Amino acid sequence: MKSSGVMLVVALLTSAIFHIGLGQSEFGPLWPVLKTLMSVSDVASLFKMADDSFELMALLHVNIPRLVMAIIVGGTLGTIGSLFQQLTQNRMMSPLTLGTSSGAWLGLVVLNVVAPMLVAQYSVWFALVGALLAMGLIVSIVGIKNMSGLPIVLAGMAVNLLLGAFATAIILLNDQYAQNLFVWGAGDLGQNGWEQVVWLLPKLLPIVIIFLLAPRTLTLLSIGTEGAAARGLNIGTTFFVLMFIGVWLVSVSITSVGVISFIGLIAPNIAKHLGYIKAQKELLASCVIGALLLCTTDSLATFLAQWSMDMIPTGTATAVIGAPALIIIARKQMSAQDQLFFSMPKGLKEISPLASLVLIAMLGGLIMLSVFSQPSSGMGYFGFPDTFEWSIRWPRMLTAIFAGGGLAVAGVILQRLVYNPLASPDILGVSAGAVLALIFSSLFMGYSIHSLSPWVAFLGSAIALCILLFLGKKHQYAPSILILTGISLTALLEALVQFSLTRVGEGKYTLLAWLAGSTYRVKPDSAITMAAVVSIGIMVALILSRWITLIATGREFASARGLNVSMAYATLLCIVAVLCSVVTTTMGPVTFIGLLAPHIAALVGARLVWTQIYWSFLIGATLMLFANWLGQVVVYPAQLAAGTLVSIIGGSYFIYLLLRSRRS
């Protein structure tokens, strides 16, 4: 154990030296600067000499502060990750899965919009409040005694998506106040002096309390809550005090350098793998490993930035490394009961005529509202649109109807194929694959996001599906593995999105509006093309509904009935990829429709595959059309993207599912 500890410290020192050398290479040779350092007798004269030497100035005011920031932030995140994991006895716990990052992001967005003049003084407090609210929401969803396995990860994903939708909506409505948020969201360790280091260090002092007082508490908790309580430990108070300290440390860290994901997840798992089992030793090892990971990752980001002649945020690099790590950790940590955590909500035995009339009336009423409502005249006033207004409205209506319906049908197919009621294009990462492909093409090939072909998105969706099938086959397509793969892809997507927003200038708001899932910029030919492709995809799905029924009954049963299961799987998943890619290319990513619509269809009695496809299409179209209309009138003359409103509605339903499963 001592030898491994020495090796970790040596590795950290080596990484630090490499970090300094790599950073200094951009400004000149390192050796002459080191000779100067060794010849100086006191710090004051050293900084005075830096005024006459550009290389020395770069070392003292850019590279060394950046290294110090990487070490202290990485060590803090590693320590907090270990604290959270030991408190909850959950090896997938981290600031990311607890929702603290998205909560802090929302808090800072609100502060920048409501009181931008107070950002310098109160940003850390707004970040803290946002992080605490997010964590409190997650704890209330899963319960303090159930913070293990899949439930806490799903709750974190739901809260992250929900708070992210609110933050995106606020930014798009108040873009003039959000200019300074994008680099922060991408996570950047770059420094221009010691101001941030001096600001951060005193605020990290509570970490001493963790090292001194937490080990005994964590040791008692490791024997179980009942045993700890029997030995006099006040579990509730201790848990929340330590959690509060952890959230404070995370909040001040990300306020200083931005969102740095996955360090708090990976470092404690590496420490555990190396044999650091005792509470105090795991905390210390996680601290050193966290510093080592962030220092190494920041060196990688610096190298890539020098090679590509463009800034690569450290947060992007950590996400690229951390997303696969989440999958690897999940494959080892998920338990068998996680696969049984959810079931499809029980509904009526058959569809009633009243339900049919209500749905058709709602869809017809929304079409009338979309055609005749005049937001400029106020809510409740209607009129016939003129030629110009109609030329704008009908493509948006057509897009909303077929985007919502297409994603809903994709959700039905996925839920039936993988025996997972939580399966949907966004949760399983299929939509994320399409978005990744489109953003990658836009960033590195110079194309506009609105001019790319659906084939690019199809390729991304197909790759995501192949990854899902490859990883899921060994575990018989267990929901835990499939969902966590989707979460990993989504985390990677968010990092690349933030990276994109740091480099596209004023075009960042166009990209952000597309990512929010807006029909605003859809052209008539694009709307018609999407409607045609979605219609063909749904007709093919209806024709092949017998295949879906047989596979949903069981693969062995389907094979015994003469179905070529592999070919059927590939064909049906291609339909899913086509539906996701054409919708994503046309109006951007839309979350939760593929989850929400099939569930509502099942609740009203759509049990057969073809009836669930038909009903899910109508329900998805109704939901999206409602969100599209409401987004145009609720904050007129500004507009909210339909995808943002659907995310809020669907995220709330997803949280309801988590609460229902907890009660059951």
Side-chain angles (χ1 to χ4, degrees):
M1 190 68 66
K2 289 183 179 180
S3 61
S4 62
V6 172
M7 289 178 62
L8 285 176
V9 174
V10 171
L12 177 58
L13 291 174
T14 304
S15 178
I17 294 170
F18 180 75
H19 186 282
I20 287 289
L22 184 63
Q24 191 65 23
S25 65
E26 188 175 359
F27 302 97
L30 178 62
W31 178 242
V33 181
L34 292 178
K35 288 177 64 177
T36 304
L37 285 176
M38 290 185 289
S39 65
V40 176
S41 58
D42 59 273
V43 176
S45 58
L46 176 64
F47 277 90
K48 187 175 181 180
M49 290 177 62
D51 295 335
D52 301 321
S53 172
F54 176 73
E55 292 80 5
L56 186 58
M57 180 181 292
L59 179 66
L60 294 179
H61 294 284
V62 177
N63 290 317
I64 293 181
R66 180 167 184 151
L67 172 64
V68 172
M69 189 64 79
I71 291 174
I72 61 177
V73 170
T76 300
L77 294 178
T79 304
I80 301 311
S82 177
L83 176 69
F84 286 172
Q85 290 181 16
Q86 293 188 68
L87 279 174
T88 60
Q89 299 297 301
N90 181 358
R91 284 293 152 186
M92 288 182 296
M93 184 65 70
S94 74
L96 176 69
T97 51
L98 261 182
T100 51
S101 297
S102 59
W105 164 253
L106 180 59
L108 285 170
V109 168
V110 171
L111 177 61
N112 274 264
V113 169
V114 174
M117 73 292 297
L118 302 178
V119 169
Q121 295 88 352
Y122 297 101
S123 58
V124 65
W125 297 106
F126 273 74
L128 176 64
V129 170
L132 286 173
L133 289 176
M135 187 189 74
L137 181 57
I138 291 172
V139 172
S140 66
I141 290 171
V142 300
I144 194 171
K145 296 182 179 180
N146 193 33
M147 298 181 69
S148 60
L150 185 60
I152 189 68
V153 179
L154 289 174
M157 183 195 70
V159 171
N160 283 333
L161 288 172
L162 188 60
L163 298 185
F166 279 115
T168 300
I170 293 171
I171 289 174
L172 287 174
L173 290 173
N174 303 273
D175 54 19
Q176 69 273 23
Y177 299 109
Q179 292 283 348
N180 60 336
L181 288 173
F182 296 109
V183 173
W184 182 93
D188 182 40
L189 294 177
Q191 302 296 311
N192 291 312
W194 290 89
E195 290 80 6
Q196 281 296 314
V197 175
V198 172
W199 178 89
L200 180 61
L201 277 173
K203 296 174 177 61
L204 294 180
L205 287 178
I207 200 171
V208 177
I209 299 175
I210 294 175
F211 287 121
L212 293 179
L213 303 181
R216 178 180 176 275
T217 300
L218 298 175
T219 302
L220 288 174
L221 286 174
S222 66
I223 65 176
T225 54
E226 294 182 0
R231 286 163 174 79
L233 180 66
N234 189 331
I235 297 173
T237 303
T238 305
F239 178 89
F240 283 108
V241 168
L242 290 176
M243 276 290 192
F244 178 83
I245 294 174
V247 172
W248 164 261
L249 293 172
V250 171
S251 298
V252 296
S253 297
I254 61 180
T255 300
S256 180
V257 301
V259 178
I260 305 291
S261 305
F262 291 108
I263 297 295
L265 173 71
I266 301 172
N269 280 279
I270 294 176
K272 190 81 171 179
H273 180 73
L274 292 176
Y276 293 95
I277 300 174
K278 293 184 178 180
Q280 187 176 42
K281 290 184 177 180
E282 184 186 320
L283 287 171
L284 291 170
S286 298
C287 180
V288 177
I289 294 170
L292 173 61
L293 286 174
L294 190 53
C295 189
T296 304
T297 307
D298 192 45
S299 297
L300 175 63
T302 302
F303 172 76
L304 292 176
Q306 293 176 2
W307 175 73
S308 64
M309 303 298 291
D310 199 356
M311 185 190 79
I312 306 294
T314 309
T316 303
T318 58
V320 171
I321 296 171
L326 175 60
I327 299 173
I328 295 170
I329 294 168
R331 289 164 71 90
K332 295 181 178 179
Q333 298 295 332
M334 279 296 175
S335 58
Q337 55 264 39
D338 287 328
Q339 302 180 23
L340 307 175
F341 188 67
F342 281 99
S343 59
M344 182 68 79
K346 295 179 181 179
L348 302 174
K349 293 184 178 180
E350 60 181 14
I351 300 171
S352 66
L354 179 60
S356 302
L357 288 174
V358 169
L359 179 60
I360 293 172
M362 288 176 61
L363 183 57
L366 284 170
I367 291 174
M368 298 293 286
L369 275 175
S370 300
V371 172
F372 296 112
S373 64
Q374 299 286 347
S376 58
S377 302
M379 296 284 285
Y381 291 89
F382 303 92
F384 286 94
D386 57 30
T387 304
F388 176 74
E389 290 176 330
W390 177 243
S391 67
I392 295 175
R393 290 188 186 185
W394 75 260
R396 300 187 68 173
M397 292 167 53
L398 191 66
T399 300
I401 290 171
F402 282 91
L407 292 176
V409 172
V412 173
I413 297 172
L414 281 176
Q415 288 175 13
R416 297 273 185 167
L417 288 185
V418 301
Y419 314 104
N420 183 357
L422 288 181
S424 72
D426 50 292
I427 293 177
L428 292 189
V430 181
S431 294
V435 177
L436 280 172
L438 290 168
I439 289 181
F440 183 87
S441 300
S442 176
L443 278 178
F444 300 105
M445 299 182 185
Y447 296 107
S448 167
I449 201 79
H450 297 285
S451 64
L452 289 168
S453 167
W455 287 106
V456 175
F458 174 78
L459 180 62
S461 294
I463 292 173
L465 283 169
C466 289
I467 294 172
L468 283 170
L469 295 178
F470 174 76
L471 294 174
K473 185 175 181 181
K474 182 180 178 181
H475 296 267
Q476 285 73 49
Y477 304 99
S480 56
I481 296 298
L482 296 178
I483 290 169
L484 280 159
T485 303
I487 293 173
S488 302
L489 285 173
T490 303
L492 181 60
L493 165 67
E494 290 175 353
L496 289 177
V497 166
Q498 294 295 341
F499 172 48
S500 306
L501 295 174
T502 63
R503 16 173 332 178
V504 293
E506 290 301 319
K508 62 172 69 76
Y509 297 108
T510 301
L511 177 60
L512 195 61
W514 176 82
L515 288 164
S518 175
T519 62
Y520 180 67
R521 295 179 182 273
V522 176
K523 298 177 181 178
D525 55 344
S526 299
I528 293 172
T529 301
M530 188 195 72
V533 173
V534 169
S535 299
I536 294 171
I538 293 174
M539 285 190 290
V540 174
L542 288 170
I543 293 171
L544 302 179
S545 61
R546 179 177 175 274
W547 289 8
I548 304 173
T549 303
L550 288 174
I551 293 175
T553 306
R555 295 179 182 84
E556 294 181 358
F557 177 79
S559 182
R561 296 296 297 268
L563 180 66
N564 186 332
V565 176
S566 298
M567 184 194 71
Y569 245 86
T571 303
L572 292 168
L573 289 177
C574 278
I575 295 174
V576 172
V578 167
L579 292 173
C580 293
S581 60
V582 71
V583 171
T584 304
T585 304
T586 305
M587 69 170 292
V590 179
T591 56
F592 289 120
I593 282 286
L595 171 74
L596 189 56
H599 280 220
I600 296 176
L603 285 171
V604 299
R607 294 179 174 270
L608 298 177
V609 172
W610 72 269
T611 56
Q612 192 181 16
I613 289 175
Y614 168 75
W615 271 79
S616 295
F617 174 83
L618 292 179
I619 293 168
T622 302
L623 286 170
M624 187 64 77
L625 194 60
F626 171 71
N628 185 60
W629 170 78
L630 185 64
Q632 295 178 53
V633 301
V634 70
V635 290
Y636 185 86
Q639 296 193 27
L640 285 175
T644 299
L645 291 174
V646 167
S647 295
I648 294 171
I649 296 169
S652 303
Y653 173 75
F654 192 51
I655 290 174
Y656 159 75
L657 279 182
L658 291 161
L659 290 169
R660 186 178 67 88
S661 64
R662 175 190 168 191
R663 290 196 300 268
S664 61

